[in-house]
Each structure stands twice: as C-alpha cells, then as structure tokens.
Amino acid sequence: MSLTAAKSEIACMRGGREGGGGATETAGSVPAEVSWEMLDKSRFFVLGAALFSGVSAALYPAVVLKTHLQVPQHSQQPRPLLTAAQILRTDGPRGFYRGFGTSLAGTVPARALYMAALESTKSAVGTAAVRLGLPEPAASTTASAAAGVSAAIAAQLVWTPVDVISQRLMIHKHKYLGGVDALKKIVKYEGLNGLYRGFGVSILTYAPSNAVWWASYSVSQRFIWQIVGYDNSDYSSVMAVQGLSAAVAGGAAAVVTMPLDTIKTRMQVMDCGGSMGRTVKGLIKEGGLCACFRGLGPRWASMSLSAATMITTYEFVKRLSTKQDLNENG
C-alpha cells in the first residue's frame, strides 16, 4: 500500500477510535499520525536503530567541538574555528570521532528506551486526554509534552554513563585506551556514581527540553499547515513541514538549555568533579554568564539539523513500521 493510502487508512482508524466517528485529522488539516498500537515494534526498533546510528555519525563532529568549547584545555577564550583547527592539527579527522564507538554502542539501547517511552506515553496520555473532553489539538500537545518528559528520563538511564565515557575520551584522550578502559577506570576510582555524574542536571536539562520540544513541534506543525494547507497526496511537503517544525523546536531548545548543558558537561568531564553550585561558580569566575553559553553555535546548529533529520527519519520509520495487517487492508 502507498504512503498516501496508508495515511488515509490511519486517519479513518484514528477518527473512529478517538472522535466517536469524527475524524481527528481530516483532509486539509494535518497529516495522520501513526500511533503506538499501529506499529510493528520489531521492525520499528531495527529500522530506527540503523537509521539513527547513521544520523548520529554524521552529526558527531559537532558534539566533539561543542564539548571542547565547554571544557577548554587552556585559559584563553575558546573559539570554534581555532578549536576545530587544533583538533585537526593534533589528531587529524579521527579527532572528531573520539568516543564515537562508545556513543554508538549506547545509542541503540538509549534510542530504544526513548522511542518506547515516547510512543507508549503519547498514546496513553493522548487517549486519556480525549476521553476527559480535551479538544484534539490540546490533547495532542499535552500528550507530546508528557511523552517528551517520559522519553528523556528513560533514555538518560543509559545515556548518562555513555555521555560520561565518550566525553572523557574526547577531552582526556591520553588517560584512556578506549571505551572499555575508561569504563573500568571510572568505576575503579569513582565507583558507579562516577558513571552517573551530572545525572540530575541531565534530567533537569533534557526533561523540560523534551517537553517543550515535542509540544512546540506539535503546535508548529499545526500552525504551518494552517498557512500552507495540507495536501495528503504530497508526501514531500509533509516531510518539509515536519523538518522545518523540528528545526525551529530544536534550535529554541538548544538556546534555552545551553547553560544547563554546559554545567552538566563540566561536571561529567572535569577531574575535580564537585557540586552543581561549585561548577556554576567556576564558570562565572572564568568568563561570566557568557561562559555558560560556550559552544552554543555548534550545539544550536547540531540540534537544529539533528532535529530536522531525526524527525523526518523518525516519522518515515514509523510509516514503514505500520503493522502488516494494516498495510494489507489498504
């Protein structure tokens, strides 16, 4: 069955389930969304892991540059171009992929937890909100925000240790032989707590960021479709609007959460460790409030591009992962 036919089928199914016969996403409104119940979970996770790993590889150099800017190795004010040139001069192109093996190994379970929590929460909260009488747009926005918080917390259980190890490999390259060596040394000298440095700040950073991101993504899509008008026969337009909405949401989230991300990275990487308060004082003493926004350019570009790429990939994976019996009905 074609994507257009699938969208029509899904719209009819959602209309019957959620609106008591009234379609929630009619032609000329917004694209029908593939819900958690409609997915072939095995196909969804396998396709998602493969495609998201490729996207992560393409965007990883920006993450390395951002980390070096947040944790400078000298007293001078770090600059993106000079820092990038230094990485190239010292390590060559491979310097932009230090810690990538560890990051990639953690991406699969972290993404699996993220997607499972996101979709199951969105489906459950959305259904409950509609039953409570909320209009569909408000129910969708509420469900998206709740799903973002749930997904962020679930993913950080895996992602925080991966983040700690990969960032140590980026900055302290001479101290560790690789990801496994870093894991052993961190556990030996810092205990399991060392793997979860900055976990609380990570939750404070990513939970509200994800809530705002998914809610604003939902609202942005509806706003743009109201302007351009939705044509369910043009899937390229659907992808373009989804990508634009995601890029706007990602860029905004990058700006809002940048200070917390800088604090988190410092706590995870710096040898002295220390509390959140001590880290903030050190940053302010080092460069004032501006120090909290070091690496904003690479992070803003990375998050905007990542959001646009990830969401179009994510939505495409969901379309490809609809259950076989649903496809055959079309």
Side-chain angles (χ1 to χ4, degrees), residues 1-2 4-10 13 323-330:
M1 184 177 74
S2 68
T4 300
K7 285 183 279 187
S8 299
E9 177 74 14
I10 292 163
M13 290 181 66
K323 291 179 180 177
Q324 193 62 36
D325 57 350
L326 175 60
N327 289 335
E328 290 172 353
N329 287 338

Side-chain angles (χ1 to χ4, degrees), residues 81-124:
L81 291 179
L82 291 177
T83 301
Q86 178 64 33
I87 295 172
L88 277 174
R89 186 165 52 252
T90 304
D91 299 320
R94 64 178 295 181
F96 286 100
Y97 281 91
R98 284 197 175 277
F100 179 67
T102 299
S103 178
L104 186 61
T107 291
V108 175
R111 289 287 181 192
L113 279 172
Y114 186 95
M115 292 187 293
L118 180 77
E119 291 299 330
S120 57
T121 303
K122 187 187 296 184
S123 179

